Each structure stands twice: as structure tokens, then as C-alpha cells.
Amino acid sequence: MYLSSIALAAVLFTGVQAHFQLQYPIPRGPFVQDSEPTFCDGYNDAVSNRTVFPLSNGIINLNSEHPLWTGGVIVSTYQDPNNFSDFNSSSGYQMAVQFFQQSGEGPYCFPIDLAAAGVSGIQDGANVTIQVIFDGGDGILYQCADLTLSANASVPAGTTSSCTNVTATSTSTSTGTAASSTSTSSAGREVQVASGFIVGVVTMMMALLPVL
Ligand SMILES: *[C@@H]1O[C@H](CO)[C@@H](O)[C@H](O)[C@H]1NC(C)=O
Ligand SMILES: *[C@@H]1O[C@H](CO)[C@@H](O)[C@H](O)[C@H]1NC(C)=O
Ligand SMILES: *[C@@H]1O[C@H](CO)[C@@H](O)[C@H](O)[C@H]1NC(C)=O
Ligand SMILES: *[C@@H]1O[C@H](CO)[C@@H](O)[C@H](O)[C@H]1NC(C)=O
Ligand SMILES: *[C@@H]1O[C@H](CO)[C@@H](O)[C@H](O)[C@H]1NC(C)=O
Ligand SMILES: *[C@@H]1O[C@H](CO)[C@@H](O)[C@H](O)[C@H]1NC(C)=O
């Protein structure tokens, strides 16, 4: 376990071959390829010019550079979340969009209903930060966006005009990349995908421990 974790950590830190770019909402700062494997793409602090974002009927638009990938979104209600713990409750990540698996490269859109996330403090007028987590099979990547939630805001016209809808299904039909699972347990796809992430995140945390 430890040896394989160290080997995986080495892979994570010697380079990710492809990435993703958050298109909407606007991320904390311009995309930095080399920083994307780290917290918020290397941007540690919240910006003051937040995007006014729908409390319920939000949309995420991201550009995938991987043919098969897993995506998910976590949320923090801190004014300036600057580490992964700020996105956690006592039971782990505060999920705003459960992990899903999707095939295809290019712009993809999916809905996000923050009001339904069940996270205390999410309400009309609240400042929150979302962190998009993306795994195309060669490392976990992160981008953040700082938001002010509004019950009557809607996404700008054109946000979804050039993207493909994510069509995550309840059964995995993929065939064996690192991000996929071939298990058919009744626990369900999301749990399997999430467990893959947790292994990756724990591995990354272990790798980071010496520098913290
Ligand atoms: C939200 O953030 C903005 C900019 O950082 C700040 O001016 C405002 O006071 C914050 N609002 C709340 C409710 O904390
Ligand atoms: C905040 O302002 C900076 C500098 O003008 C700009 O590059 C960035 O896109 C803005 N962010 C948002 C979320 O509007
Ligand atoms: C994360 O940041 C918060 C403040 O935003 C701080 O209280 C906490 O100690 C930090 N946790 C870690 C693990 O660095
Ligand atoms: C946050 O929760 C995730 C999911 O349970 C866990 O893997 C991670 O270690 C936690 N991180 C921190 C900093 O508590
Ligand atoms: C949203 O509601 C607030 C207060 O209720 C109002 O000031 C604002 O103009 C509304 N915005 C839109 C886009 O309707
Ligand atoms: C994408 O999904 C939205 C709702 O989530 C829907 O309104 C739209 O028609 C869908 N687009 C396509 C091309 O299926």
C-alpha cells in the first residue's frame, strides 16, 4: 500500500499530460497549467470581484482535454477558503455536484444546484467558493471560482451555447482507464468513482504532509 502510494504520488508530481479549463464561472485567476494539480490551480486566496451566481439553477462549463474523465464540485462557505479543509465538513468533502464520469473532449456543461447541497450557510447573498475537481486518469486537477449567490440570478446568455451536456448515466460503460471502475457492485457508480478520488486525494495529502 505505501509503496504503491508513493509510486502513484511520484506519477502525480512528475507531470500531468492534459488538463481542463473552467470556462464558467470565471476562475480565481487565469489558468496555470503547471499549478492545476494543486489547490485551486495555485490561487490560494479568494478574489474580491466575485461572480454573482444562481443559488439554484447554476451551470458549470468546462473544457475537457481528456477523452474520459471524472468530474465533481466541492463547496466552501468560508469568505477566503485557502486549503482543502475549508471545503470539508466532519464527514469529508462538501459535495455540490457528486462525482460523475463522462467521455469526450471539448466544452462540457452540467447543472449545479447549490441550494440543494445541504451545506449550512448556503443562502441568498452568501459568499461561497466552488472547487471543480477533474481526473482524466493521470492526476487530480483543481480550479476554483469565488461566488456571491443570488436567488434571482441566472447564468449569462450563451453560457451553454457551445457546450455538450454531460450525460452521466447510472452505470459505467467505460472500458478500463484509470478513472473508471469495472466493479458492478450495487453500491453504485458514484460511490465507486468517489472512492477512486479519495484514494487519489489521500495519496496527494500523504505526499504533501512533509511540506505542511
Ligand atoms: C462578500 O464578499 C465581498 C467581496 O469580497 C464583500 O465585500 C462582502 O462584504 C461579502 N459579503 C458577505 C455577506 O460576507
Ligand atoms: C476580476 O478582475 C480581474 C482583473 O480585472 C479579471 O481578470 C477577472 O476576470 C475578474 N474576475 C471575475 C470573476 O470577474
Ligand atoms: C485551513 O485554513 C483555515 C483558515 O481559512 C485554518 O483555520 C486551518 O487551520 C487551515 N487548515 C490547514 C490544514 O491548514
Ligand atoms: C477532506 O475530505 C476528503 C474526503 O473525505 C478527504 O479525502 C480529505 O483527506 C479531507 N481533507 C482534509 C484536509 O481534511
Ligand atoms: C435580485 O433581487 C434583488 C433584491 O431582492 C434586487 O435588488 C436585484 O435587482 C434582483 N436582481 C435581478 C437580476 O432581478
Ligand atoms: C442540455 O440540458 C439543458 C438542461 O439542463 C437543456 O435545456 C438543453 O436542451 C440540453 N441541450 C441538449 C443539446 O440536449
Side-chain angles (χ1 to χ4, degrees), residues 23-151:
Q23 309 288 308
Y24 178 83
I26 299 169
R28 274 189 176 180
F31 168 64
V32 179
Q33 175 162 315
D34 289 348
S35 299
E36 208 174 29
T38 65
F39 178 80
C40 288
D41 191 22
Y43 293 97
N44 285 332
D45 290 300
V47 297
S48 56
N49 56 336
R50 296 167 170 273
T51 299
V52 177
F53 193 81
L55 176 61
S56 292
N57 300 309
I59 296 281
I60 305 287
N61 181 330
L62 63 78
N63 182 56
S64 164
E65 296 182 339
H66 278 276
L68 180 64
W69 46 280
T70 298
V73 182
I74 57 178
V75 61
S76 173
T77 53
Y78 285 77
Q79 174 73 18
D80 182 18
N82 52 32
N83 60 52
F84 283 104
S85 297
D86 288 345
F87 290 79
N88 276 19
S89 67
S90 56
S91 54
Y93 278 147
Q94 296 178 151
M95 301 304 302
V97 176
Q98 296 294 325
F99 292 114
F100 60 86
Q101 191 176 72
Q102 177 68 39
S103 60
E105 297 179 40
Y108 278 83
C109 290
F110 53 93
I112 177 170
D113 184 349
L114 286 160
V119 173
S120 172
I122 290 186
Q123 60 190 32
D124 192 18
N127 288 339
V128 305
T129 297
I130 56 169
Q131 183 156 203
V132 179
I133 304 179
F134 180 102
D135 184 356
D138 58 2
I140 305 173
L141 304 170
Y142 306 93
Q143 276 194 287
C144 289
D146 302 303
L147 312 175
T148 297
L149 299 180
S150 171

Side-chain angles (χ1 to χ4, degrees), residues 1 18 22 41 53 74 89 97 106 119 144 148 151-152 157 169 173 182 195 203 206:
M1 174 58 189
L22 183 58
D41 191 22
F53 193 81
I74 57 178
S89 67
V97 176
V119 173
C144 289
T148 297
N152 60 5
T169 52
T173 55
T182 54
S195 66
T203 301
M206 286 170 55

